[in-house]
Amino acid sequence: MTVHKDDEKSVLARIFDTGQDRLKQFTQLWSLQTLTDLPDRLRNLWQQLIGSYWFIPTACVLIGILLAPLFVTIDQHFDRETIREITFAFTGDDEAARAIMTAIAGAVLGVAGTTFSITIAVLSMASSQFGPRLLRNFLTDTPNQFVLGAFIGTFSYSLLVLKSIHQSDVAFGVPQLAVTFGIIMAIICALLLVYFVQHMVHAIQASHVIQNASNDAINNVHYWYSDHCDLQHQRDVEHHDVEQFHSWPATPIYAPRSGYIQQIYLQSLITLTQEYGGVVQIHVNLGDYVTDKNVMGHFYQRPANHPNNRQKTTTPHLVVVPRAPDGTFWQRFAGCVRLEQRLAHSNDIAYSLGQITEIAVRALSPGINDPKTAVNCVQSLTSCLSIMMRRQPPSPYHFYVPAQDKDTPETVVKPQRVAILALVTHTPKISDFINVSLGEIRRYAAADLMVLKALCQAMVDLNYARVNKAQQQTLLHELNLIKRAGEENLSYQELVDDLVAMCHQAEQFMTDNDAKHRHFRYASDFATHIRQALQTQSS
């Protein structure tokens, strides 16, 4: 009995803690300090709602509950003779209406159970074949949620309409328009069932799953990487802060609690550091796991004699006085970082690329043994990385421009205020993304010639998108690792020679200055010998 009481207390404690966390998130969402990051916070809240399987079905149930009394009220003020002139309208008595609505309610509820069972089976198969982190893509699939919501929404609508059907001797008897609309909804649900089966058949195909994960990764790349170099805060920047802030007094910043970093609200951090007169450097990145004892960054307090301390704020005659972090600082910093107990979907590029990588790794496992799927994953990753290499990566340095002095007359030309360093973040390089995506596949496909040759071709394709020598050196280094993996793990010498020859041709092609204007196609020694023999015979 004591164990049950303890379990009950622990469940209630978890429910209370969860509710308290949600209340804190809601309070932080509407606090004055976080209004600058309000779009990002609302976007994260919307992603959490869409990521839950109950949101759209619940909305459909509410719509069904609202439509039932609406149509019944319209029936009360509608002419019966006009309804009879409508060809497809229901004009039966109360017994027929009650039978029809009862049949609709029972049928759609049974079909809803069937669709839910199909969804559970698909999720189980997807978890074993593609990985548990891909389940969110199935749960957040809007058509699946809408089909289930249409079924239970029709069920709720039918029950409420059934309740409003009276006997014939009552002044208002059968809500004919409401019953007619229920029949239409039942027909739509039948069509949705056919669509649901067809949609699930396509959803579980590996190519469809890879394409969805690739689109997710490309959207995250467009979110972080810009089309051009951002010079807004790079023309008149105090460069001495960028070079010397490490020599200022530093205070370690510990994580508010243990969990995965899902979001870092940059504007809120910039506002916080601006008020405390210093620079915050974040050493972790999105998707990293931290504990409450981890040092996830440092706060560098600006010296008292620093020239930026004389910059006027929005309040007249008030200057920024550097101060050490206090209790308010730590409370506000906790609101600038969102931590979750499980790794979920966010704007993290590495997480999106990791989904495609996980599909490839599972496809190479002995239980599945599907190297063609792994090749498709390599090609999708190549497309994502190619976009990243051509775009401008996000800068780790974030600045703010102080407000102008309000005491200065409007007739006086105000000097341009320089941007002041406020935040330094950790920005992964393209070599890091290649290592955690294509490099991970290389380590698992060391004994598969098809995948290794696909990786070699990926290096050539990425070479078309490179914009500097550092990217070229990264690709050549990865190409050398691919060749070494094949030499050490392929079972036949003929396979090793084939891979080495392709890597050698790819390396020569990538180091050519005119490579971006030519097409690369690997030709093995055997194929070259056959081609020469056929040419000799034809001549």
Side-chain angles (χ1 to χ4, degrees):
M1 183 64 65
T2 305
V3 176
H4 293 294
K5 289 183 178 180
D6 293 339
D7 292 340
E8 184 178 359
K9 290 180 180 179
S10 62
V11 171
L12 294 176
R14 287 197 297 268
I15 295 176
F16 178 77
D17 293 339
T18 303
Q20 190 176 13
D21 292 339
R22 297 304 178 189
L23 182 61
K24 288 181 179 179
Q25 291 180 4
F26 183 79
T27 304
Q28 294 172 358
L29 179 63
W30 299 106
S31 61
L32 294 178
Q33 290 83 4
T34 59
L35 288 180
T36 53
D37 288 311
L38 187 59
D40 290 335
R41 295 178 186 272
L42 291 177
R43 187 184 302 110
N44 293 331
L45 181 61
W46 176 251
Q47 290 179 353
Q48 290 180 2
L49 291 177
I50 293 298
S52 60
Y53 197 68
W54 57 268
F55 180 69
I56 293 181
T58 302
C60 293
V61 170
L62 295 177
I63 293 175
I65 293 175
L66 294 177
L67 287 178
L70 176 63
F71 276 95
V72 172
T73 304
I74 294 175
D75 265 307
Q76 294 176 354
H77 299 85
F78 211 79
D79 187 12
R80 298 292 174 178
E81 297 298 331
T82 306
I83 297 178
R84 291 189 178 92
E85 294 178 359
I86 302 176
T87 306
F88 59 89
F90 174 80
T91 56
D93 56 2
D94 59 328
E95 293 184 0
R98 194 175 290 107
I100 290 176
M101 299 309 296
T102 303
I104 292 175
V108 295
L109 185 61
V111 174
T114 302
T115 58
F116 186 75
S117 301
I118 295 174
T119 303
I120 295 298
V122 170
L123 291 178
S124 177
M125 185 190 68
S127 178
S128 60
Q129 183 173 358
F130 302 119
R133 275 157 292 279
L134 271 298
L135 292 182
R136 183 191 177 277
N137 297 340
F138 290 91
L139 290 176
T140 57
D141 192 9
T142 303
N144 293 346
Q145 298 181 6
F146 180 75
V147 169
L148 181 61
F151 290 151
I152 58 179
T154 304
F155 172 76
S156 304
Y157 174 86
S158 302
L159 288 183
L160 294 179
V161 173
L162 185 62
K163 176 180 175 296
S164 63
I165 298 177
H166 304 286
Q167 298 293 331
S168 299
D169 56 349
V170 182
F172 173 70
V174 180
Q176 296 177 342
L177 284 179
V179 175
T180 302
F181 185 73
I183 296 174
I184 295 175
M185 291 179 64
I187 297 174
I188 293 176
C189 288
L191 297 177
L192 287 177
L193 177 61
V194 179
Y195 167 76
F196 174 78
V197 175
Q198 185 265 348
H199 178 74
M200 294 304 292
V201 169
H202 289 280
I204 61 178
Q205 295 180 2
S207 58
H208 185 81
V209 177
I210 296 172
Q211 184 62 41
N212 288 340
S214 178
N215 293 336
D216 190 17
I218 292 175
N219 292 334
N220 289 337
V221 170
H222 289 309
Y223 178 82
W224 289 107
Y225 285 63
S226 58
D227 293 329
H228 56 278
C229 183
D230 185 12
L231 299 177
Q232 180 180 1
H233 296 306
Q234 296 182 12
R235 291 192 177 98
D236 298 315
V237 170
E238 292 285 356
H239 289 286
H240 57 79
D241 284 354
V242 176
E243 300 171 356
Q244 300 176 7
F245 76 92
H246 286 100
S247 61
W248 300 349
T251 302
I253 298 178
Y254 298 95
R257 62 180 184 276
S258 301
Y260 293 94
I261 299 177
Q262 294 297 112
Q263 189 71 31
I264 300 177
Y265 299 106
L266 303 180
Q267 291 299 326
S268 296
L269 278 176
I270 292 175
T271 303
L272 180 61
T273 56
Q274 180 181 0
E275 295 180 7
Y276 277 79
V279 175
V280 169
Q281 184 177 18
I282 302 297
H283 304 303
V284 295
N285 196 27
L286 296 181
D288 293 345
Y289 182 82
V290 296
T291 65
D292 55 353
K293 300 299 182 182
N294 279 135
V295 177
M296 59 182 301
H298 285 87
F299 174 78
Y300 295 91
Q301 182 178 340
R302 191 180 296 119
N305 58 353
H306 197 278
N308 287 338
N309 295 334
R310 294 192 293 269
Q311 299 288 349
K312 294 292 185 64
T313 62
T314 55
T315 304
H317 307 292
L318 179 65
V319 297
V320 177
V321 179
R323 50 194 172 123
D326 51 11
T328 305
F329 178 91
W330 303 120
Q331 292 178 1
R332 291 179 57 181
F333 178 81
C336 298
V337 180
R338 186 166 68 93
L339 298 173
E340 297 290 345
Q341 296 302 318
R342 60 185 181 86
L343 191 60
H345 179 271
S346 64
N347 294 323
D348 184 14
I349 300 177
Y351 179 82
S352 302
L353 297 179
Q355 289 184 323
I356 308 177
T357 304
E358 184 174 2
I359 298 175
V361 170
R362 285 183 173 266
L364 293 172
S365 63
I368 299 178
N369 194 19
D370 186 10
K372 187 62 178 178
T373 298
V375 171
N376 293 338
C377 292
V378 171
Q379 295 168 349
S380 297
L381 288 172
T382 304
S383 300
C384 300
L385 294 171
S386 176
I387 296 176
M388 294 176 62
M389 296 177 69
R390 296 194 304 268
R391 297 173 71 91
Q392 177 69 22
S395 174
Y397 300 103
H398 304 273
F399 308 88
Y400 71 91
V401 179
Q404 296 289 348
D405 190 358
K406 293 184 178 181
D407 292 342
T408 304
E410 295 182 358
T411 57
V412 179
V413 179
K414 299 178 181 180
Q416 184 178 4
R417 311 303 293 271
V418 295
I420 299 176
L421 180 65
L423 177 64
V424 181
T425 57
H426 175 71
T427 304
K429 301 180 179 61
I430 187 65
S431 58
D432 300 328
F433 290 114
I434 292 178
N435 181 57
V436 299
S437 57
L438 297 178
E440 193 70 22
I441 297 177
R442 166 179 51 79
R443 287 184 279 272
Y444 281 89
D448 195 303
L449 179 62
M450 179 188 297
V451 182
L452 290 178
K453 294 178 72 172
L455 290 171
C456 181
Q457 181 66 41
M459 297 301 107
V460 177
D461 296 336
L462 291 176
N463 185 71
Y464 285 106
R466 66 174 179 86
V467 294
N468 51 49
K469 289 292 184 180
Q471 294 179 352
Q472 184 187 39
Q473 293 301 320
T474 300
L475 298 178
L476 291 175
H477 175 69
E478 184 66 24
L479 183 66
N480 184 43
L481 293 178
I482 294 172
K483 182 176 66 173
R484 288 177 54 187
E487 291 175 342
E488 296 175 0
N489 295 276
L490 290 176
S491 54
Y492 298 102
Q493 186 61 38
E494 291 80 1
L495 304 181
V496 175
D497 295 340
D498 189 17
L499 178 64
V500 170
M502 183 175 183
C503 292
H504 181 66
Q505 294 183 19
E507 182 178 0
Q508 290 182 339
F509 180 83
M510 293 167 61
T511 54
D512 188 359
N513 295 328
D514 196 39
K516 291 187 176 182
H517 303 90
R518 297 191 295 111
H519 176 69
F520 173 80
R521 182 181 296 277
Y522 167 63
S524 62
D525 295 338
F526 179 75
T528 304
H529 174 72
I530 294 298
R531 187 182 303 109
Q532 293 176 354
L534 292 176
Q535 291 177 355
T536 303
Q537 183 177 2
S538 61
S539 61

